[in-house]
Amino acid sequence: MARTMWDSSVGKKTVMAVSGVIMLLYLVAHVIGNLKIFFGAEEFNRYGHWLRTVGEPFMHYEWTLWLVRIVLLVAVVAHATSAYQLSRRDIKARPSKYVHKKPRASYATRTMRWGGVILGLFIVWHVLDLTTGTVHPGGFQEGHPYQNVVDTFSTWYGNVVYIAAMLALGLHIRHGFWSAAQTLGVGSRTRDRALKTIANVLALLLTAGFIAVPVGVMTGVVS
Amino acid sequence: MKLTLRVWRQKNADAEGAMSTYEVDDISPDMSFLEMLDVLNEQLILSGEEPVAFDHDCREGICGACSLVINGDAHGPERTTTCQLHMRSFQDGDTIDIEPWRASAFPVIKDLVVDRSAFDRIIQAGGYITAPTGSAPEAHATPVPKADADFAFEHAECIGCGACVAACPNGAAMLFTSAKVNHLNVLPQGAPERETRVLDMVAQMDAEGFGGCTLTGECATACPKGIPLMSITSMNKEWLRATRKAGKR
C-alpha cells in the first residue's frame, strides 16, 4: 500500500496533504506559544522550559520535545520530497508554453512552489537562529528565549526575513489547506465555502500572530 | 469582419513549429470559428499554400474532436467547444492567436492537430463496465437513486476533448479521468470494478506522462461541458478508498 501511494501522483499528493496538515497543526500550537511573549520575560521563559518537561514523569526531560521534532522533520522532508517530485512531473508534462500568455490562477496558487522553497530556507535559518543559536546575533543564551527573540528582532534583517517568510506562509496556507481537503477527498460542494473560509482565517490568524512578535519588538512593546 | 490570424504551423511531429500570420476578410459574425478557418483554408488552397490542419467532426459541440487554444483559452473565450464558438465573440480588426493543445502527453501531429490517444488508453484501463451482452435489460431491473443518477450524468457529459489538459499549467488529465471514474463508480452497473477502475485509470494517467493536480481550477473553467472541479475531489476519495481496500487484501 505504501508503494502504491508513493508511486502514484494522487498518492504523493496525499503525502503532501497529510504532512502539510501535521505542520499546520504544529503552527497553531507554535503561534499560541509565541504570543506569551507579550506577558513578560518570566512567563515566556517559563513556557519555554515547560516545553522540555511536557509529559513528565511518564516522559523523560525533553523526550516529548524530541518526539515532536522528529515528527516535524519527517513531515518537512516528506512534504518537500513529494513537492519536488510532483513539480518535476508537472513541468515535464507541459514542456512548451503557449505563445498567447494569460494571467492564470490566484497569486497564492501560483506562488506555492517558490513560496515553499522560501519557507524551507526560512525554517533552516529559524532553527539555526533560535534553536541552536548558530547564526544568532549577539550571544545566544540557552534557556532565555525571551532575550534571544528580542536580539533577533533588533536586527533589520531578522525582521525582514521573518516577516517576508510569514507572508509567504499565509499565502501557502491559503491555497494549501483548501487543496489538502480536496486531495484527501473531504471537500464537497456544500463544504466548499466553509473550507475556503477556514483556509483564509487560518492564513490570516497565523500570519498576524507570528508577525505580532517582531512588530512588538520593533515598537518596544517587547524589550 | 477583417481579422488577423496568428496560427501555429508545424509540418509534422518532428518538425519545429512557429506562428504564421494570415489575413482574412469578409468574415460574417454568424460564422462559427471553424467556418472562419474553412475560409482561411480555401484562401490558402487558392494561393497554392498548404491548408491549416485542425481537428473537427460533428460541429455540434458533442463529439469532442475540435481542439484549439484561442487567445490563450482552450476552446476560446466562450464556455463551449470551438465549433460552437461564433465570430460574434470577436471584434472587427482583432488579431487572434490559434495554437494546438499543449501537453507532452498530447504530441502535435501537424499544425493544430494533436494525438489524444492517451485518453483512449486511460479509458481502456478501466472506463468500462462488465455488461452482459444480448438483449437490453428491463429498465427498472437495477434501481438507481435520483441523486446518484444526476451525479453520474453530470460526469457522463465529458466529451473527452482534452481542454482540461490544455488549460492545466501542469498538463494534468485529472478532470477527464475523474469525470470518467465518477460517472461509472457511482452507478450499480459500475460497482464490480469500482476499485480496480480508479486505481488502473489513475495509474494509466500517470504512465501517459500527464502532470498532477495543483488545484488551480483552470480545467473546470475551460471545460465546455461544465465538469466541476469537485470531480477531482471525488476521484481522490475513490482512489484513497480503493487503495485502503487493496491494502487489506
Side-chain angles (χ1 to χ4, degrees):
Chain A
M1 189 169 135
R3 200 66 254 180
T4 340
M5 272 281 179
W6 192 248
D7 286 346
S8 166
S9 64
V10 175
K12 221 166 264 183
K13 279 284 286 187
T14 311
V15 173
M16 278 196 80
V18 172
S19 55
V21 168
I22 290 171
M23 291 188 281
L24 187 60
L25 288 173
Y26 168 76
L27 286 179
V28 172
H30 192 346
V31 79
I32 293 171
N34 281 12
L35 293 177
K36 289 184 185 63
I37 202 156
F38 291 103
F39 299 98
E42 207 253 332
E43 174 158 351
F44 192 67
N45 289 346
R46 187 149 45 86
Y47 162 71
H49 180 73
W50 171 80
L51 287 177
R52 282 153 182 80
T53 61
V54 178
E56 278 185 350
F58 177 67
M59 297 297 261
H60 184 70
Y61 182 75
E62 282 196 349
W63 272 16
T64 312
L65 188 67
W66 274 103
L67 196 69
V68 171
R69 283 172 178 170
I70 290 163
V71 170
L72 283 174
L73 185 70
V74 171
V76 169
V77 170
H79 201 72
T81 311
S82 46
Y84 173 76
Q85 294 187 358
L86 284 167
S87 298
R88 281 283 302 264
R89 158 180 276 278
D90 294 347
I91 292 162
K92 226 176 104 189
R94 172 58 97 64
S96 33
K97 303 273 165 275
Y98 289 110
V99 174
H100 191 108
K101 289 188 176 60
K102 288 206 123 186
R104 293 284 177 205
S106 71
Y107 188 71
T109 310
R110 279 185 282 127
T111 52
M112 284 306 273
R113 283 176 195 149
W114 283 111
V117 172
I118 289 171
L119 288 171
L121 293 173
F122 166 76
I123 292 169
V124 173
W125 172 76
H126 191 52
V127 168
L128 290 178
D129 178 34
L130 288 170
T131 307
T132 64
T134 321
V135 298
H136 189 72
F140 180 80
Q141 299 174 63
E142 188 103 29
H144 294 89
Y146 188 91
Q147 191 53 47
N148 294 336
V149 168
V150 171
D151 287 348
T152 290
F153 294 132
S154 297
T155 61
W156 66 268
Y157 64 85
N159 288 312
V160 169
V161 170
Y162 193 87
I163 292 173
M166 289 310 105
L167 293 175
L169 177 73
L171 288 170
H172 206 78
I173 291 170
R174 184 186 150 99
H175 182 69
F177 178 81
W178 177 80
S179 290
Q182 310 313 317
T183 303
L184 297 174
V186 294
S188 75
R189 228 165 274 184
T190 44
R191 279 187 218 141
D192 202 46
R193 268 183 78 137
L195 284 168
K196 279 192 170 134
T197 310
I198 295 170
N200 287 338
V201 168
L202 270 175
L204 211 65
L205 286 183
L206 285 169
T207 306
F210 282 120
I211 287 180
V213 179
V215 169
V217 176
M218 277 191 275
T219 54
V221 177
V222 177
S223 62
Chain B
M1 293 169 85
K2 195 174 153 69
L3 299 164
T4 307
L5 305 175
R6 300 204 304 154
V7 185
W8 183 263
R9 300 305 304 265
Q10 185 175 337
K11 228 179 169 60
N12 55 54
D14 305 317
E16 282 275 313
M19 298 296 270
S20 294
T21 309
Y22 304 100
E23 303 279 338
V24 282
D25 208 348
D26 286 331
I27 298 297
S28 155
D30 295 329
M31 279 182 184
S32 77
F33 199 85
L34 297 184
E35 283 168 333
M36 185 276 293
L37 285 179
D38 293 338
V39 171
L40 169 69
N41 276 347
E42 279 168 19
Q43 200 176 295
L44 290 174
I45 291 165
L46 283 176
S47 63
E49 286 182 66
E50 183 84 2
V52 178
F54 61 89
D55 266 328
H56 61 101
D57 191 19
C58 75
R59 298 205 178 196
E60 287 180 338
I62 52 168
C63 76
C66 56
S67 59
L68 303 176
V69 171
I70 303 159
N71 284 342
D73 289 319
H75 291 306
E78 310 285 340
R79 191 169 183 162
T80 185
T81 52
T82 298
C83 61
Q84 292 298 298
L85 174 69
H86 291 84
M87 296 316 292
R88 51 182 166 269
S89 299
F90 300 90
Q91 301 285 321
D92 186 32
D94 273 1
T95 301
I96 305 172
D97 290 338
I98 309 168
E99 297 172 75
W101 282 176
R102 290 292 188 197
S104 57
F106 284 169
V108 173
I109 298 170
K110 187 181 180 180
D111 295 339
L112 302 169
V113 179
V114 298
D115 178 2
R116 283 172 283 185
S117 55
F119 270 11
D120 300 337
R121 292 186 290 274
I122 293 176
I123 293 293
Q124 281 165 13
Y128 51 81
I129 59 163
T130 42
T133 53
S135 57
E138 212 281 314
H140 289 300
T142 317
V144 179
K146 175 80 166 82
D148 290 353
D150 287 349
F151 182 85
F153 193 77
E154 185 176 24
H155 292 95
E157 277 195 78
C158 171
I159 53 175
C161 65
C164 44
V165 177
C168 178
N170 309 323
M174 288 287 279
L175 196 69
F176 166 77
T177 311
S178 65
K180 299 304 178 190
V181 165
N182 293 333
H183 160 211
L184 297 176
N185 267 26
V186 71
L187 295 172
Q189 288 87 344
E193 299 93 0
R194 185 174 169 185
E195 288 85 26
T196 52
R197 174 176 302 114
V198 62
L199 292 177
D200 292 348
M201 288 177 81
V202 168
Q204 188 62 38
M205 178 187 84
D206 283 345
E208 295 292 346
F210 289 106
C213 181
T214 51
L215 277 308
T216 66
E218 297 296 341
C219 53
T221 309
C223 178
K225 295 294 156 184
I227 306 293
L229 185 60
M230 287 293 155
S231 179
I232 293 175
T233 312
S234 307
M235 179 173 76
N236 287 338
K237 195 173 170 180
E238 283 294 310
W239 190 90
L240 288 169
R241 179 184 168 277
T243 307
R244 276 198 306 274
K245 283 196 107 178
K248 276 180 202 154
R249 247 183 265 127

